[in-house]
Amino acid sequence: DAKTTQPTSMDCAEGRAANLPCNHSTISGNEYVYWYRQIHSQGPQYIIHGLKNNETNEMASLIITEDRKSSTLILPHATLRDTAVYYCIVRGAHQGGSEKLVFGKGTKLTVNP
Amino acid sequence: KAGVTQTPRYLIKTRGQQVTLSCSPISGHRSVSWYQQTPGQGLQFLFEYFSETQRNKGNFPGRFSGRQFSNSRSEMNVSTLELGDSALYLCASTKGGKWATDTQYFGPGTRLTVL
């Protein structure tokens, strides 16, 4: 089962920031938070990941709370092309590998003109 | 750098047939994972291959199998197709290091329709 909880859907106006929350209250110390998005019928696209510190890249920012029990993905200036399902995934570092990702249902973000 | 490629992109089969899907990982990546996505069950992990060995397996029947070649390319096979096997099949690759923290990059998927 997925270790994360996300709202089913969210709306955002084009040009505004989109803030997508994720709860992962059972996260353990060596587990990372990953975000992917999937535009209809395409393969999931990696966005960003983090362990403890806030992270930023050209696509988004990831804010992780100090207790690491929740995080927020921020798309600073949402465009219509950001309409997608966004998945928050908790993933551990396991010696010996095992690359399994457990996807929940994600958040359907709709960016409106 | 080229991304993960999957062939074919679309496939139509009939019940009882078998199908083979192919995945070429990003150059230098040694781990390939396969996922099935359906509207009802969402994205579910099938199996993962690293250095030609299956390293992890999801909860799917034995009709679903895979393999990996020495160049890291991977194939998955589904035998005796059922209507419920209609899905988007995704593969993802990572460097596959000793510690599983590498980012997985997904291909565009193969849309399989079983009639």
Side-chain angles (χ1 to χ4, degrees):
Chain A
D1 289 344
K3 296 179 68 171
T4 61
T5 305
Q6 299 177 252
T8 303
S9 63
M10 293 182 65
D11 285 285
C12 176
E14 190 177 18
R16 304 298 293 269
N19 296 283
L20 292 90
C22 179
N23 285 321
H24 31 80
S25 58
T26 61
I27 193 169
S28 57
N30 66 349
E31 289 182 319
Y32 289 74
V33 179
Y34 274 77
W35 284 83
Y36 285 81
R37 71 180 182 185
Q38 187 175 26
I39 296 168
H40 184 62
S41 290
Q42 297 180 22
Q45 178 189 23
Y46 165 75
I47 302 173
I48 199 167
H49 74 282
L51 182 62
K52 300 183 205 180
N53 300 322
N54 298 338
E55 302 287 345
T56 296
N57 63 18
E58 64 279 3
M59 288 183 69
S61 294
L62 173 61
I63 309 296
I64 302 174
T65 58
E66 195 166 338
D67 64 8
R68 304 212 319 124
K69 293 185 177 181
S70 65
S71 60
T72 301
L73 178 74
I74 301 172
L75 307 178
H77 306 286
T79 70
L80 299 179
R81 287 180 297 179
D82 292 323
T83 292
V85 177
Y86 287 76
Y87 296 99
C88 168
I89 299 166
V90 164
R91 180 177 172 215
H94 303 291
Q95 186 172 12
S98 182
E99 301 286 356
K100 174 181 176 180
L101 292 181
V102 180
F103 285 81
K105 296 193 182 302
T107 296
K108 168 67 176 172
L109 175 69
T110 302
V111 181
N112 301 303
Chain B
K1 189 151 106 167
V4 179
T5 58
Q6 293 187 244
T7 56
R9 294 293 311 280
Y10 302 90
L11 205 48
I12 300 175
K13 292 285 188 179
T14 56
R15 276 182 298 175
Q17 287 187 308
Q18 72 151 10
V19 67
T20 300
L21 312 180
S22 180
C23 172
S24 292
I26 292 171
S27 176
H29 284 193
R30 296 167 63 197
S31 167
V32 173
S33 298
W34 288 90
Y35 295 82
Q36 180 197 65
Q37 185 173 28
T38 60
Q41 299 298 319
L43 265 154
Q44 292 188 292
F45 173 79
L46 278 158
F47 31 65
E48 182 225 350
Y49 285 87
F50 175 75
S51 290
E52 302 178 65
T53 301
Q54 189 180 84
R55 188 159 68 170
N56 199 356
K57 186 176 185 302
N59 190 26
F60 278 82
R63 299 186 297 107
F64 293 82
S65 63
R67 60 177 175 168
Q68 187 180 34
F69 302 96
S70 58
N71 62 358
S72 295
R73 190 177 70 86
S74 177
E75 289 181 346
M76 70 161 280
N77 184 78
V78 188
S79 62
T80 319
L81 283 166
E82 300 176 0
L83 295 179
D85 297 333
S86 293
L88 181 66
Y89 289 89
L90 294 154
C91 96
S93 76
T94 69
K95 291 178 189 173
K98 185 177 179 180
W99 295 90
T101 58
D102 296 327
T103 299
Q104 281 196 31
Y105 295 94
F106 284 81
T110 294
R111 171 72 62 185
L112 172 65
T113 302
V114 182
L115 302 175

